[in-house]
């Protein structure tokens, strides 16, 4: 049953069909599929397929934009259905997509799951400078600064953040967490970030581990 929903989800995103994507998401949730399973097994493979088709020149920018629109709407809908943890005791994060980068679908999923697990999150959005991230982390008294980068050309901002935190003697005050499709554990280690997460579920686990929350 759920396999059929996942297949339809992939198809609606590949076709950039907003209405059908919402219909499938609503049906999946109505049938009791876990919201995270629905996004991880259906819609994310769909947008990844779009990325592959775009990367290999079999799909063009206007189609990519339509698929992204469908993905954004579905993510919003699914995020709203996440059950929330009422205890706000798991620490505070400032998070953003780095400067020059407008990809925010994955970051928004991470934010929703963190909130659902009791974290207080200040989401600064996308295309955010390192200076602003540090400024807002200070104002928000964050424990963790999280950054998302989807372009190989914007990943450098995550390194810049580490360098600026070190230069300002703030590495002890803020932990850092990095993510985004081209980002790896190896990259995190290389630049000196405190944690890397492959997806939103792992992001919650890593954030808890950083703050030593069981
Ligand atoms: C959707 C999309 C877009 C949409 C974005 C809409 C939006 N609101 O986000 C639009 C159409 C705007 C877009 C534009 C562009 N895109 Co684009 N896009 C994609 C696509 C297909 C999917 C990205 C996505 O949403 N994935 C789904 C989410 C759920 O996955 P995710 O982002 O990886 O997030 C997960 C994890 O990484 C992790 N995570 C994410 N963030 C964080 C943060 C933290 C702190 C942690 C711990 C974890 C974490 O958890 C998330 C949930 O599981 C990718 C292909 C791909 N496979 O990545 C290309 C892709 C990233 N885009 C690409 C390109 C080239 C572009 C453009 C330059 C195209 C152009 N010619 O204009 C522009 C760039 C604009 C800019 N300056 O940023 C290339 C990048 C190539 C490269 N080497 O850098 C890709 C790889 C496509 C390709 N194969 O060529 N794009």
């Amino acid at each position: 049953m759920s396999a059929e929903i996942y297949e339809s989800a992939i198809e609606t995103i590949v076709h950039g069909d907003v209405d059908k994507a919402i219909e499938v998401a609503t049906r999946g949730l109505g049938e009791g599929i876990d919201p995270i399973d629905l996004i991880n097994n259906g819609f994310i493979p769909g947008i990844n397929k779009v990325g592959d088709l775009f990367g290999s020149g079999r799909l063009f920018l206007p189609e990519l934009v339509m698929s992204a629109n469908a993905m954004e709407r579905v993510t919003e809908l699914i995020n709203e259905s996440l059950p929330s943890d009422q205890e706000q005791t798991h620490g505070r994060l400032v998070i953003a997509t780095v400067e020059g980068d407008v990809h925010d679908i994955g970051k928004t999923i991470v934010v929703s799951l963190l909130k659902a697990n009791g974290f207080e999150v200040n989401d600064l959005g996308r295309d955010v400078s390192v200076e602003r991230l540090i400024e807002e982390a200070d104002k928000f008294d964050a424990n963790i600064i999280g950054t998302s980068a989807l372009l190989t050309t914007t990943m450098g901002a995550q390194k810049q953040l580490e360098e600026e935190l070190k230069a300002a003697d703030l590495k002890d005050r803020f932990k850092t967490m990095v993510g985004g499709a081209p980002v790896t554990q190896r990259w995190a280690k290389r630049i000196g970030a405190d944690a890397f997460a492959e997806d939103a579920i792992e992001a919650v686990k890593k954030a808890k581990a950083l703050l030593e929350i069981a």
Side-chain angles (χ1 to χ4, degrees), residues 91-94 135-144 173-174:
R92 301 158 70 81
L93 277 103
V94 159
E135 212 178 281
E136 297 289 342
D138 179 37
K139 269 197 243 159
F140 192 62
D141 199 16
N143 310 109
I144 301 175
R173 181 164 168 209
F174 305 119

Side-chain angles (χ1 to χ4, degrees), residues 47-48 51 72 100 102-106 126 148 151-152 180-181 198-199:
I47 196 76
N48 284 340
E72 284 169 18
V102 303
H103 297 85
D104 66 354
I105 294 169
R126 52 197 191 178
S148 184
L151 298 168
T152 44
E198 181 95 46
D199 59 33

Side-chain angles (χ1 to χ4, degrees), residues 5-6 24-25 28-29 33-43 78:
I5 294 266
Y6 297 152
V24 170
L29 293 172
I33 299 179
D34 181 85
I36 292 298
D37 287 342
L38 188 57
I39 196 126
N40 279 344
N41 302 330
F43 294 104
I78 295 183

